[in-house]
Amino acid sequence: MAYEVIRAEFRTELHARWSVFFDHLRVPWAYEPVTFYDSQGSPRTPAFWLPEQRMWFAAELEAPVWWGRFAMAAEGSDYWGDGWGEQAGRCLPVEVPEEWQGLTLLSEGPFFPDDDPGIDTWGRPDPWDGPWRLHEAKGMLTYCDSPYQWTMCPQCWSFGAEFCGYAERLPCGCLNDGEHSKVAGGSDKRLLAAYRAAQLERWHDDISHATVLWPTVREALVQQPGAGAAAENCVGECQSVAEQMRQELCPPDPGESEELETLCSACPGFVCGQCGEQPTPAANAPCRTCEPVVLLTENQVRQRINWKVEKLAAATGMQGRRVNGIVNDSIGEKRRSGVSLAKLGTALTNVERWLDDPSSMPTGLPAPSPDELGELHGAELRKLLTTYVGPLAGALRDPIPFVQRQLNDWMGASSRAEATDEQLRDAIIQARAWIEDPDSYRSYTHPEPVEPGGLAAPMRTKNAVADSSCDLCAAPVVAGELIGRMPNPRNPFKPMAWLCAHCLYDRRAKPRLTDVLLRVFHHTLSGSNSTLLNTTEAAVLLAALLALPHTMGEEHLQEAITELRQGIDAPEPVMQLSYHPAQAAVAALDTADLQETVAGDAAVLAAVAQHLAEWQHNPQNIDQTSYRNRALWRQAVLESTPTPTVLSQRGGPFWV
């Protein structure tokens, strides 16, 4: 049975939040299903009717003056006490038919204290600061008793409201009143989870102000085919065609009366045969007022999909990531974050259908035999490889461009268009292997680092097919020379493109001044307050600084020399060069016009000095407060530099 999106409209946001609370607990509710009248015809419309509990529930910031008179009639009492106040006593009696009589419950105040959810030490809404905390002091009111609290049976999960939340008073009778006395279920973890879900619910801007009459509109899912169309087509004037004909004094013939009783005269849909006032999803089906159904919030839908994906993975023997990829493919998305509620409903429908028959779930991948693969060539192989990219990205939870690049790197081609047939076949085989064993993919893209003193092994090497330059140090690379790719780094560092042989193997063990400068540049760009140098790198930088004239004249420069000497003499393999000493060292080298500096070193030195100064003085006046961290702000400054350099063109930060 398919899930469909429906819109639930509420007069206040407070009512909408309580509806989420009930839905989270799987408690059916009807919102303002009927309006009652006092003896002079004034309308009295309570908010929620809970049919399973036979309870009227009102949630208002302040109690309606007429509520006491309504509660008296709804609970079938003939006694009027003075506890509701003099103004309420002047209200006229209300007529409540027997079929609508039941317990009445009034909750006064906001959904959470001070209209603002409490925040715990982890920055999350505090479940202990929910509405039930208000109820501890004054509780909720019935017609003649208080305090009442929502409560749950710890054995059968029955839900209701009882005096002080005593669960043994619930109608289920699971707890013996004598043996289990005063079992307070008001803080049951399921209730707290429902409060928290209602606290966290957000209304989309394009929905919440859809109409003037209904300031808060929820979107939710319901497992009821035709529900979405019924709600969308309804114009609020439901009446059966048969009733309209009777009003026009031309009643339908007995043979066609039954069919016309279900057809709506105001829209191309159906009307409820019980009340004749609400739309229904199908002929002879009850409306959501006469037989309320539980709605699924977006969070519940996501949780249900995740839970059933785990069950589906166990049923099919597939990895959960692969099943998730197939589910996402079925709705035409790479991932489910940010997708519409309608697509989530389709995904949930698909997962439940596949759970009923696991063999019906698509594999998501073609599986040609080696012989069949050998018969494919050129465009056929490229098309087949393309079909693997989406499922592979979904299974590995990596962006598609990144997965495509890994496949290209693996087969040794800059693009699939340039790959040979044999390279394409190798890539197809490897893609299937990575899907079956994602750990092998992670081992390839994220090998164990050999930091802090050395380098990880290159992820991929090959001979350059054309003249180019190193993506890190900008040194020229001649066609035929060895180039390679380093393993992908952790955030906030970015993957580097092709590097020269020196940057692949020797930049830590046999560093040039350029290599040390690049470490200062990229560690600073990453937001770090210091740069890690091994003793060899520290010695290279120290030698360059000691060659400067008047090195004693600047305080931070002297700090740099002191830190470098101490780091070289220390037993640890690496040392930390602080931010300001590092900046002073670069500035001093840049202004000294070193005679022995080679052209490549000079270009990198000038670029590093320029960008360090820009991060220090912010000549572009970019507001740092609008960025989450210093790395993002410095990237923005780097991208908007008025004088582009070899470093600003390459970006970063790189893990060097």
Side-chain angles (χ1 to χ4, degrees), residues 513 593-603 605:
L513 180 58
D593 192 19
L594 296 179
Q595 298 298 319
E596 298 181 359
T597 304
V598 298
D601 285 346
L605 174 58

Side-chain angles (χ1 to χ4, degrees), residues 38-230:
D38 65 14
S39 56
Q40 288 188 351
S42 298
R44 309 298 187 218
T45 307
F48 289 96
W49 170 248
L50 309 183
E52 290 185 355
Q53 288 74 27
R54 291 206 61 80
M55 177 190 302
W56 288 104
F57 174 64
E60 306 294 343
L61 295 179
E62 293 184 5
V65 176
W66 52 264
W67 179 259
R69 287 293 185 183
F70 165 77
M72 172 183 172
E75 294 191 12
S77 175
D78 55 3
Y79 168 75
W80 173 252
D82 57 1
W84 292 93
E86 182 178 346
Q87 189 176 5
R90 291 197 294 268
C91 290
L92 298 174
V94 179
E95 182 72 24
V96 178
E98 185 176 352
E99 64 268 21
W100 289 110
Q101 291 184 2
L103 182 69
T104 60
L105 200 63
L106 172 64
S107 172
E108 285 189 90
F111 189 83
F112 32 75
D114 300 324
D115 279 334
D116 186 22
I119 302 298
D120 66 11
T121 56
W122 296 91
R124 302 168 301 191
D126 189 352
W128 303 98
D129 230 358
W132 74 285
R133 285 292 297 272
L134 295 177
H135 305 159
E136 280 186 330
K138 62 179 182 180
M140 297 182 289
L141 310 175
T142 65
Y143 168 59
C144 59
D145 201 5
S146 68
Y148 269 60
Q149 294 180 20
W150 297 118
T151 187
M152 294 196 78
C153 174
Q155 296 185 11
C156 72
W157 291 24
S158 291
F159 168 83
E162 298 295 340
F163 181 81
C164 289
Y166 292 152
E168 72 273 10
R169 298 191 177 193
L170 287 167
C172 64
C174 294
L175 303 179
N176 182 282
D177 200 6
E179 183 179 350
H180 304 93
S181 179
K182 300 187 183 333
V183 178
S187 59
D188 185 279
K189 62 181 180 180
R190 291 156 292 187
L191 285 173
L192 296 182
Y195 286 128
R196 184 160 52 246
Q199 283 178 331
L200 295 174
E201 188 72 13
R202 295 292 180 264
W203 327 115
H204 300 291
D205 290 340
D206 58 334
I207 298 174
S208 61
H209 301 95
T211 62
V212 176
L213 294 178
W214 301 98
T216 302
V217 181
R218 275 185 59 196
E219 276 194 348
L221 285 185
V222 63
Q223 195 174 21
Q224 197 175 55

Side-chain angles (χ1 to χ4, degrees), residues 204-506:
H204 300 291
D205 290 340
D206 58 334
I207 298 174
S208 61
H209 301 95
T211 62
V212 176
L213 294 178
W214 301 98
T216 302
V217 181
R218 275 185 59 196
E219 276 194 348
L221 285 185
V222 63
Q223 195 174 21
Q224 197 175 55
E232 183 176 351
N233 293 332
C234 183
V235 296
E237 299 177 0
C238 293
Q239 185 182 47
S240 69
V241 173
E243 180 61 25
Q244 183 185 41
M245 293 176 66
R246 283 191 288 268
Q247 291 179 1
E248 295 174 354
L249 303 180
C250 54
D253 296 334
E256 62 179 4
S257 176
E258 182 177 354
E259 180 180 354
L260 296 180
E261 292 287 357
T262 64
L263 294 176
C264 184
S265 63
C267 71
F270 303 96
V271 68
C272 177
Q274 296 183 32
C275 67
E277 298 177 352
Q278 297 291 334
T280 63
N284 299 318
C287 66
R288 290 192 295 120
T289 297
C290 291
E291 293 189 17
V293 294
V294 174
L295 308 183
L296 285 177
T297 67
E298 181 176 330
N299 286 336
Q300 286 178 301
V301 175
R302 292 185 182 278
Q303 292 171 0
R304 186 169 294 193
I305 292 175
N306 293 338
W307 171 56
K308 296 199 173 185
V309 162
E310 292 180 4
K311 295 182 66 177
L312 191 57
T316 59
M318 294 183 182
Q319 289 197 347
R321 289 182 177 179
R322 183 175 175 186
V323 175
N324 265 316
I326 294 172
V327 173
N328 295 345
D329 285 342
S330 73
I331 58 174
E333 298 287 346
K334 300 175 184 178
R335 53 183 60 85
R336 292 194 292 274
S337 59
V339 304
S340 67
L341 189 59
K343 285 194 173 183
L344 289 176
T346 301
L348 182 55
T349 300
N350 291 340
V351 172
E352 291 188 345
R353 175 165 51 85
W354 295 337
L355 265 177
D356 291 338
D357 181 12
S359 64
S360 66
M361 186 180 75
T363 62
L365 292 172
S369 66
D371 292 339
E372 292 172 334
L373 199 59
E375 295 175 358
L376 301 177
H377 303 280
E380 297 172 320
L381 287 169
R382 283 190 286 273
K383 182 178 180 180
L384 179 59
L385 180 57
T386 300
T387 64
Y388 281 79
V389 173
L392 181 59
L396 301 174
R397 296 184 180 180
D398 269 347
I400 285 181
F402 184 74
V403 171
Q404 288 175 324
R405 189 167 61 190
Q406 300 307 317
L407 288 172
N408 293 345
D409 290 348
W410 176 267
M411 62 184 176
S414 58
S415 67
R416 290 199 293 273
E418 297 180 2
T420 65
D421 286 359
E422 194 59 35
Q423 288 174 320
L424 290 169
R425 294 187 185 102
D426 288 343
I428 291 171
I429 294 172
Q430 187 58 40
R432 291 185 62 85
W434 280 340
I435 288 179
E436 297 296 335
D437 183 12
D439 290 339
S440 66
Y441 172 82
R442 297 300 176 194
S443 298
Y444 174 71
T445 57
H446 296 77
E448 291 295 326
V450 190
E451 292 289 343
L455 287 173
M459 180 176 67
R460 180 78 172 173
T461 60
K462 67 176 182 178
N463 293 327
V465 296
D467 293 349
S468 60
S469 64
C470 176
D471 194 62
L472 178 58
C473 71
V477 175
V478 179
E481 288 186 357
L482 183 70
I483 59 175
R485 298 283 303 283
M486 295 301 291
N488 294 322
R490 63 182 183 273
N491 285 330
F493 298 98
K494 309 297 183 183
M496 291 181 282
W498 296 99
L499 308 184
C500 66
H502 170 81
C503 288
L504 284 175
Y505 298 107
D506 295 332

